[in-house]
Structures are given as C-alpha cells and as structure tokens.
Amino acid sequence: MTTTTALGCQYRPQHHYTADRNWLNDPNGLVYANGTYHLFYQHNPSGTVWGNMSWGHATSADLLHWDEQPVAIACDEQEAIFSGSAVLDADNTSGFGTAENPPLVAIYTSAYSPASPLSGRQAQSLAYSTDDGATWTKHAGNPVADRGSADFRDPKVFWYDGGAGSYWVMVAVEATDREVVLYKSADLKAWEYLSTFGPANATGGVWECPDLFELPVDGAAGNTKWVLVVNLSPGGIAGGSGGQYFLGTFDGVAFVSDTTVTEGLQQDDSRMAEYGWLDWGRDYYAAVSFSNAPDGRRLMIGWMNNWQYGADTPTSGWRSALSLVREVTLATRGGRVVLVQGAVDPFENGGAATYSEAGRSLPAGTRWLPAEASGDVLRIDAEFEPGAAGKVGLLLRAGDTERTVLAYDSGTGVLSLDRTASGNTVFHESFASVERVAVPLEAGRLRLRIFLDRCSVEVFAQDGLTAITDQVFAAESSARVGLFADRDGARLVSLDIVAGA
Ligand code: FRU
C-alpha cells in the first residue's frame, strides 16, 4: 500500500499497513486532525523483532492509502515508548500550543530502563506537536501519571462532556491485576483518579490497550451505550492474544458493565463464548479507536498478529501488518445489543477484475472457480443457503497442497476458519489452528464478506455481526477459490468477487 521498495515482497500486503522495514505491533495515537488521519504504532526502528520501542508514524487522507513518516517518538537510554493515544487539544488546555494553533498531544507509556531513576516502572507521559505531527517534543514534567507500578500502561484519552462536567478522561490498565483504571484531567498534565473496573469476563492473561467510547444503539442518538474494549494476552477466545468488549454505562466517573458474565480472577473457561469478542480469530489484537474521527464515526485498527508467534512469522525485512480499518456500531441483533463491524473497503472504487454468479444450486462436492475469480488479493461477497447440506463453504488461497477452509456447519451452527493446511505453518508450534464461532443463520442464510491479502484472511459474517481474522502464509501461486458442499440441497444465493485494486 505504502511500500515503494521491493524489500521482502513475499507476503507483503497490498491493503494492510506494514512498516516499510522492521517490526511493528500495536496501533497507537490514532487521531484525525486537519484533514489527515494519523496512525502511530509500536515500532522497532532497527530490528524485525520487538525491541527499542518507539512510535512509528504514517498518515492518510482516506484510511486506505498510508504514507510512512519518520519515527515520531523515539526511545532513548531512559525509556521505551510503549502504547498510548493522541488527541487534538482543540482548546489548548495543555498550553503546549496556542489558541490559533492547537497542539496534538500524545499520551504514551514510559517504560523506564535501568538507566532511569524510575527503573522498572511504567507511567504515563506526554509529547506534543505543533506542526501537524511532523515533530514531537516530550513534556518537561513527565511522567504525568505514576502509581509506582511496573504494569500501569496503554493510556487512551478522550474528551468527556456529560452530566458530570467536561474534562479529559484516561483509561489505562494495571495489566497484571486485570484492571482498567480511570483518571480525569483539565489540562492533560494533572490527573486525578476516578475509578477501577475489573477483573471481569476473560482474565486468562494480562489486560492491555483499553478503550472507552459511547455509541448510539441502532443509530438512535437518544439511546446510547458505552463500549469498554479490553485486549488481553494470552487468554483470547481463539488462543493467545485477543480483544474483548463490555457494554454498559459511564457517568463520567465509573464504567458499569451490563455484560459481565463472570467476575474476579476466577475465569470460567466454559463461559468464554458468552463474552463479547471483537474478533474470533487469532490475529486481531491491541485494537483501539481513532480520536476525533469525522461524523462521529468510531474507527478501529488492530495489530494483525498474536504474541504467541508474532516474532516468528516468516517475513523478511519487515514483520507484522495492521488490520484494515473497521467502523464499529451497536445494533440489536437476535434480541441483544452487539458490536457490529465493517471494514473500510479497499475495493470501494472498483478493483482490477470482477466475477459474479447469480443464485444457483450448490451440489455436493467442490467446484473450482475460473481464473478470473482467483487471486491472493480479493474481496469476496458470498451468500449461502445451506438447506439440506451439512457443511458449505469456501476454499481460499488454494494450491495443490495448500488451502484455507472457511466452512459453515448447519448442524452445529458453527462457522470455522481452518488454516492448518494454509501454507507455511511450521514456523511456530501454535500457529496451525482452527477458529470456531457460533453464527446463527438469518432467514436460512449466511452472508460472508471476506478480504484476502497476501498474508491474511479477514471474514465478516452476517453483515459484521462476527469477525474472524487470521494470518496465512500461502505460496503466491496458491490463489484458487473453490466452493463446496458436503451434501446436495444447498444454494449459493449470490457470489461477487473483486480482485486486485
Ligand atoms: C500490547 C503491549 C502493550 C505495550 C506494548 C509494548 O501488545 O504489550 O501493553 O504498551 O505492547 O510494545
């Protein structure tokens, strides 16, 4: 997408952000200002594994095409720059800019090195920019929030304007306690403790990268809920890193969850599927949302990787991509309010080639689609009516021996994404996997939107009710798409494929 060099072109995504060189993990500081979307990210400027954590930077006008910028905030001998957020301080509450030229302010975690007097601690610090994010200055009074803790990190800051007043709110974590801690501030520099949420629901790993925002339910402005996002690793629904969410209320002081199933650290694994999950795959982590996005849109990005094997993925010169940007909304589906997600579509302005089929029966067996419906960069929209068939689905990134299998089992109502034979899976023992999620048919039908890129599959089922994101490392030549059913009686209602872009 942004990449101009040929460095490590095998697996290099076309539509997903990667650093031109070297390691990337969490998206950081997502903020819109003056017509530009800023994406910062955890970055090792000098290696392809985690280390030297600094904020890399990229900018975009459309959330699809990103231009890599110089490293924004670099680590030094005293501190690594861990995850955090950024805001446009429009009223210059911090005093870092002027009324005419309000600053961008980054709130990041200082992870102090042995060379620092605060060695071993994690605390929250500020850096600001008065030139549209081109250069950043660390605040002289750092850190601005310090609990003397070794695991206080990942601050997400937003402007609260409600019954309790108007002020900045920070949500951060006490990671190993599985707690989200909330603070408030008038000027981003002095922070006052508000409340603590958790542990609750999934607690099988450390809690990281929280987010808190309000959304209308079914688009009705008068009926809103607050969404608390809590990433955790390990202990995600598919194994390793994952993101859960809670729905509830926030009164300016405390978040109260309506969706807590289990409380405390006594996680009941048999209830994992009842929790709210952002994604049921293995590769959507540290997801957080943009600040100040136009039109009240809530746009999120996740790290398309997993701490279980993130350092071992078989790319060269660069490592790890971010997910497509996802717009999230709240909707009532099946009598419950749930988070619904849709990717900002890289194919929206048409792709290189289009293939369509109208409704037809899907007899037992596998039918390979013609060459024009093949590719390693595709958007596939498919609607199935499983009918009397037990299993229906698609074979993706298929070659002679490789394939990724997206299957729906109408007996169990489970959608699965199987990457056990997807290509190179041997680089880590925990990579080969099958993700499973219950997805109810709607009027007997299953609608799928699938984005394939050179090393990933993102699936959105039932118009964004459920998402599954997995990396796959298939040979470039493994590009066929097939349809299958295990018994007669299924119907393919529609199929539309756009290739390239
Ligand atoms: C999440 C995380 C954060 C931390 C950052 C360090 O992936 O562990 O908690 O700030 O990565 O790179």
Side-chain angles (χ1 to χ4, degrees):
M1 100 193 321
T2 56
T3 307
T4 47
T5 73
L7 179 79
C9 42
Q10 192 186 16
Y11 306 130
R12 177 80 84 168
Q14 186 168 333
H15 292 141
H16 293 75
Y17 184 76
T18 52
D20 192 27
R21 285 164 196 273
N22 291 323
W23 169 266
L24 159 161
N25 57 289
D26 314 354
N28 293 153
L30 304 175
V31 64
Y32 176 81
N34 297 329
T36 299
Y37 291 93
H38 293 269
L39 157 65
F40 302 88
Y41 50 90
Q42 289 287 280
H43 183 45
N44 180 352
S46 48
T48 54
V49 293
W50 188 89
N52 309 307
M53 294 323 294
S54 300
W55 278 27
H57 186 199
T59 52
S60 173
D62 61 3
L63 299 167
L64 296 170
H65 304 90
W66 295 94
D67 294 317
E68 187 162 326
Q69 305 293 344
V71 167
I73 312 175
C75 64
D76 59 25
E77 63 289 347
Q78 301 264 320
E79 64 173 12
I81 314 298
F82 274 18
S83 287
S85 52
V87 293
L88 172 64
D89 181 14
D91 294 332
N92 192 31
T93 62
S94 62
F96 292 143
T98 60
E100 299 73 43
N101 184 27
L104 283 172
V105 181
I107 307 93
Y108 66 89
T109 298
S110 294
Y112 292 105
S113 332
S116 162
L118 298 179
S119 173
R121 280 195 211 175
Q122 295 183 348
Q124 314 325 320
S125 291
L126 306 178
Y128 58 91
S129 171
T130 52
D131 57 5
D132 280 328
T135 59
W136 291 81
T137 306
K138 286 183 183 173
H139 170 47
N142 284 340
V144 294
D146 181 6
R147 297 158 59 100
S149 163
D151 289 291
F152 173 37
R153 60 178 179 268
D154 305 343
K156 179 74 184 353
V157 172
F158 65 93
W159 182 253
Y160 169 78
D161 193 7
S166 301
Y167 42 82
W168 298 107
V169 171
M170 175 198 294
V171 288
V173 290
E174 276 293 349
T176 52
D177 295 338
R178 286 81 159 167
E179 286 176 354
V180 174
V181 289
L182 289 84
Y183 285 77
K184 77 178 214 181
S185 174
D187 61 3
L188 296 166
K189 296 191 274 201
W191 292 94
E192 181 189 327
Y193 171 79
L194 288 175
S195 61
T196 295
F197 174 81
N201 289 2
T203 54
V206 292
W207 279 19
E208 299 184 316
C209 301
D211 199 353
L212 180 62
F213 48 84
E214 186 178 22
L215 283 175
V217 177
D218 300 321
N223 178 21
T224 66
K225 279 190 186 290
W226 285 79
V227 183
L228 177 67
V229 170
V230 179
N231 290 278
L232 86 160
S233 185
I237 183 68
S241 312
Q244 61 177 329
Y245 69 89
F246 298 85
L247 300 181
T249 56
F250 176 61
D251 62 1
V253 177
F255 175 79
V256 177
S257 164
D258 306 336
T259 59
T260 296
V261 178
T262 54
E263 273 191 87
L265 283 168
Q266 307 311 316
Q267 176 169 325
D268 176 356
D269 281 344
S270 69
R271 309 201 69 174
M272 284 283 279
E274 295 173 50
Y275 308 153
W277 295 100
L278 295 176
D279 197 286
W280 296 72
R282 299 285 295 284
D283 296 304
Y284 188 72
Y285 190 58
V288 285
S289 68
F290 273 90
S291 176
N292 198 40
D295 308 319
R297 293 175 87 195
R298 189 54 58 176
L299 302 164
M300 299 186 76
I301 304 182
W303 177 44
M304 206 159 56
N305 211 338
N306 191 310
W307 283 117
Q308 281 185 336
Y309 45 74
D312 299 300
T313 54
T315 56
S316 94
W318 60 278
R319 184 172 275 122
S320 290
L322 295 175
S323 72
L324 295 176
V325 180
R326 295 183 184 180
E327 178 160 7
V328 301
T329 53
L330 292 179
T332 310
R333 303 282 286 271
R336 282 197 322 149
V337 178
V338 290
L339 198 74
V340 172
Q341 307 175 73
V344 173
D345 180 6
F347 299 85
E348 67 187 357
N349 297 319
T354 304
Y355 173 84
S356 284
E357 283 188 20
R360 61 198 278 187
S361 67
L362 192 65
T366 296
R367 175 161 65 86
W368 294 105
L369 298 182
E372 66 265 29
S374 303
D376 59 354
V377 183
L378 298 176
R379 185 191 72 197
I380 302 172
D381 287 296
E383 185 166 354
F384 292 93
E385 215 168 69
K391 274 190 186 163
V392 296
L394 294 127
L395 303 175
L396 305 165
R397 298 303 307 272
D400 291 343
T401 58
E402 301 177 352
R403 61 193 49 187
T404 298
V405 186
L406 180 61
Y408 187 75
D409 182 332
S410 52
T412 57
V414 168
L415 179 67
S416 61
L417 183 65
D418 180 344
R419 67 176 179 186
T420 55
S422 58
N424 183 349
T425 61
V426 297
F427 58 87
H428 194 281
E429 60 187 17
S430 70
F431 182 78
S433 62
V434 185
E435 315 346 320
R436 294 185 180 86
V437 52
V439 175
L441 294 180
E442 291 174 6
R445 292 180 175 184
L446 174 71
R447 274 183 304 286
L448 300 171
R449 167 161 273 206
I450 305 157
F451 292 95
L452 299 186
D453 204 341
R454 300 220 158 90
C455 61
S456 61
V457 180
E458 279 155 297
V459 179
F460 297 90
Q462 304 299 42
D463 307 308
L465 177 68
T466 304
I468 311 177
T469 302
D470 267 2
Q471 294 180 92
V472 292
F473 297 95
E476 200 177 338
S477 58
S478 296
R480 281 192 295 164
V481 178
L483 300 168
F484 68 87
D486 69 341
R487 289 200 293 269
D488 286 344
R491 230 168 71 80
L492 178 68
V493 181
S494 62
L495 178 68
D496 293 282
I497 300 182
V498 184

